[in-house]
């Protein structure tokens, strides 16, 4: 399935949410996780490069605010989005 990297990114973000300590970014992470889930499972069309770029940017911003273990999870989520982006047709 082509959207598997999106599901993997979603799982990494969910794991980041659960990784202590709380830092005040959990609500924003939850929003990103929900968006990833929607794009992977419910969106009628494959997400485009713009949607993926916005999610990557958000994850990068959040990783800068997170502690090491949580930031590592968010970097893995970005890597999964990079993998998905390579599967898309060039624009």
């Amino acid at each position: 399935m082509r959207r598997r990297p999106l599901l993997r990114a979603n799982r990494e973000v969910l794991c980041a949410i659960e990784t202590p300590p709380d830092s005040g970014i959990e609500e924003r992470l939850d929003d990103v996780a929900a968006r990833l889930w929607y794009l992977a499972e419910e969106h009628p069309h494959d997400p485009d490069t713009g949607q993926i770029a916005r999610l990557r940017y958000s994850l990068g911003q959040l990783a800068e605010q997170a502690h090491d273990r949580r930031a590592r999870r968010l970097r893995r989520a970005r890597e999964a989005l990079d993998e998905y982006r390579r599967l898309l047709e060039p624009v």
Side-chain angles (χ1 to χ4, degrees):
M1 179 170 150
R2 190 161 134 155
R3 295 185 188 191
R4 278 193 182 129
L6 297 176
L7 290 174
R8 191 167 58 256
N10 172 264
R11 281 193 303 275
E12 290 294 346
V13 174
L14 291 174
C15 287
I17 292 169
E18 296 172 355
T19 302
D22 288 350
S23 58
I25 63 171
E26 292 76 24
E27 188 173 321
R28 289 177 54 207
L29 288 173
D30 191 49
D31 291 341
V32 171
R35 183 73 181 150
L36 285 165
W37 177 259
Y38 173 75
L39 292 174
E41 292 292 328
E42 298 178 12
H43 196 269
H45 306 288
D46 286 338
D48 60 42
T49 55
Q51 291 169 310
I52 299 304
R54 286 187 294 279
L55 285 166
R56 283 190 81 257
Y57 179 80
S58 294
L59 287 171
Q61 294 293 310
L62 291 166
E64 289 177 9
Q65 300 171 35
H67 62 83
D68 290 341
R69 288 181 7 200
R70 185 174 280 176
R72 202 169 25 249
R73 290 282 188 180
L74 298 177
R75 283 192 297 273
R76 287 185 204 148
R78 286 185 74 185
E79 290 168 4
L81 292 180
D82 289 340
E83 181 183 332
Y84 176 78
R85 190 169 53 180
R86 286 190 295 271
L87 296 172
L88 294 176
E89 298 287 325
V91 180

